[in-house]
């Protein structure tokens, strides 16, 4: 990735921090897109329908900043839409994480491809 960035004279995208949400009492349920084939600001993407997950979602934690040691909730549902985007429904139990507008699922990359 670094070699491609140098070759194409691209710089990391600077993004402003997202605003925190209002504090809540008790767990909250969130829904949204967990992964898509869209190219992100780091010029990375997942192939459509490429993420697999266990049948027992209780083993799949919702984490803060892709850090497995910072479990903040539980994934309740994962489903692929017709466009290949992976949609998530999760319960956030951590008081601080409930104020954050974006969270992470854990993934292990088993195969990757670099395209120029």
């Amino acid at each position: 990735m670094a070699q491609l960035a140098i070759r194409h004279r691209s710089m990391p995208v600077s993004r402003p921090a997202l605003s925190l949400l209002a504090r809540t009492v008790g767990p909250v349920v969130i829904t949204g897109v967990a992964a898509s084939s869209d190219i992100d600001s780091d010029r990375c993407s997942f192939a459509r329908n490429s993420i697999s997950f266990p049948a027992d979602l209780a083993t799949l934690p919702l984490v803060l900043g892709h850090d497995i040691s910072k479990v903040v909730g539980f994934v309740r549902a994962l489903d692929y839409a017709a466009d290949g985007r992976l949609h998530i429904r999760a319960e956030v139990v951590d008081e601080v994480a409930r104020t954050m507008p974006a969270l992470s699922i854990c993934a292990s990359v088993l195969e990757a491809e670099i395209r120029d």
Side-chain angles (χ1 to χ4, degrees):
M1 293 296 289
Q3 291 175 352
L4 287 174
I6 291 167
R7 183 181 316 153
H8 294 285
R9 297 186 181 130
S10 65
M11 299 296 292
V13 175
S14 176
R15 288 168 252 154
L18 298 172
S19 299
L20 294 177
L21 306 173
R23 288 197 178 270
T24 62
V25 176
V28 296
V29 174
I30 59 171
T31 60
V33 175
S36 78
S37 60
D38 299 331
I39 297 173
D40 67 15
S41 61
D42 293 324
R43 302 184 55 76
C44 296
S45 70
F46 286 99
R48 290 172 59 126
N49 302 310
S50 65
I51 297 177
S52 61
F53 43 90
D56 181 7
L57 295 178
T59 64
L60 189 62
L62 184 70
V63 300
L64 188 61
H66 302 284
D67 186 342
I68 189 65
S69 70
K70 297 179 181 174
V71 175
V72 296
F74 309 96
V75 175
R76 298 299 185 207
L78 286 169
D79 297 294
Y80 275 106
D83 63 2
R85 291 180 177 201
L86 180 61
H87 289 257
I88 187 171
R89 183 171 52 83
E91 182 179 355
V92 184
V93 297
D94 181 84
E95 181 179 352
V96 174
R98 290 192 305 257
T99 66
M100 297 182 177
L103 297 166
S104 304
I105 59 171
C106 292
S108 296
V109 176
L110 302 178
E111 186 176 324
E113 178 179 326
I114 296 177
R115 294 186 183 184
D116 191 349

